[in-house]
């Protein structure tokens, strides 16, 4: 349950702020904690380049704090695009941070819809910590390659992704995971 206010756009900027509580939790202490968040977003076109970005901050009364920001750009004539995101967290168990980057291409290779291809990379430090389990440091990485094909007449997107996952912490060693995901999204 929360209440939120978004300002009108001013020169491409919008500021939002919210206050609430997690009333659906089974834990009465969690239900009584106040939750606050705020963000600023920006969007503008500079000639042939569309730019969008945002920065947000989240705070729970139990001293959990998260922040994150991202920026994306699209060169409309070529379809080249890029995204960079960073973020962090501070909880009772410690803090962590991540960085994410994506390079992509969006083109009309076939008449029935645009094709999007991208490669992305994620790296996180101390995102997962559990002092009860003795995990005081962790590292996570992921590399992905994605393809999305739009079918305009059917309001459908077909997508396929290959991704690797690597995780380690101070208590154990894990093998690198790999996954292939695919699917379709129908829009009504």
């Amino acid at each position: 349950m929360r209440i939120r206010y978004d300002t009108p756009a001013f020169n491409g900027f919008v500021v939002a702020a919210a206050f609430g509580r997690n009333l659906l939790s089974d834990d009465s202490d969690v239900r009584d904690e106040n939750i606050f968040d705020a963000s600023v977003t920006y969007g503008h076109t500079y000639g042939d380049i569309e730019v969008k970005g945002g920065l947000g901050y989240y705070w729970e009364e139990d001293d959990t704090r998260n922040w994150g920001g991202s920026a994306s750009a699209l060169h409309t004539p070529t379809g080249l695009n890029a995204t960079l995101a960073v973020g962090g967290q501070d909880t009772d168990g410690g803090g962590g941070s991540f960085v994410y980057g994506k390079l992509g291409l969006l083109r009309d290779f076939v008449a029935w819809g645009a094709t999007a291809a991208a490669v992305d990379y994620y790296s996180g430090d101390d995102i997962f910590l559990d002092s009860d389990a003795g995990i005081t440091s962790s590292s996570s990485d992921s590399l992905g390659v994605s393809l999305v094909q739009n079918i305009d007449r059917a309001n459908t997107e077909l997508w396929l992704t290959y991704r690797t996952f690597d995780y380690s912490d101070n208590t154990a060693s894990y093998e690198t995971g790999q996954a292939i995901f695919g699917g379709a999204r129908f829009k009504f």
Side-chain angles (χ1 to χ4, degrees), residues 79-181:
L80 292 172
N81 58 81
T83 296
L84 178 64
V86 295
Q89 63 185 17
D90 183 15
T91 63
D92 289 337
S97 62
F98 75 89
V99 63
Y100 170 83
K102 178 189 72 110
L103 295 174
L105 179 65
L106 178 62
R107 289 268 179 89
D108 289 328
F109 290 113
V110 293
W112 24 286
T115 304
V119 60
D120 66 74
Y121 177 73
Y122 163 90
S123 179
D125 290 315
D126 296 335
I127 293 295
F128 177 74
L129 302 175
D130 186 346
S131 57
D132 293 337
I135 301 173
T136 58
S137 66
S138 67
S139 175
S140 52
D141 295 281
S142 182
L143 178 66
V145 178
S146 303
L147 184 65
V148 177
Q149 178 59 59
N150 288 283
I151 304 172
D152 295 338
R153 292 183 91 182
N155 290 327
T156 301
E157 296 173 340
L158 304 176
W159 57 272
L160 184 65
T161 299
Y162 169 76
R163 182 164 296 284
T164 65
F165 301 93
D166 187 37
Y167 172 81
S168 63
D169 62 44
N170 62 297
T171 65
S173 177
Y174 302 91
E175 291 187 26
T176 299
Q178 300 176 21
I180 296 176
F181 303 94

Side-chain angles (χ1 to χ4, degrees), residues 6 10-16 39-43 52-55:
D6 291 35
F10 179 74
N11 288 337
F13 288 94
V14 174
V15 176
S39 68
V40 60
T41 58
Y42 177 75
K52 293 187 179 185
L55 181 63

Side-chain angles (χ1 to χ4, degrees), residues 44-51 72-77:
H44 192 72
T45 300
Y46 298 92
D48 292 336
I49 300 175
E50 294 179 21
V51 176
S72 297
L74 168 65
H75 185 249
T76 51

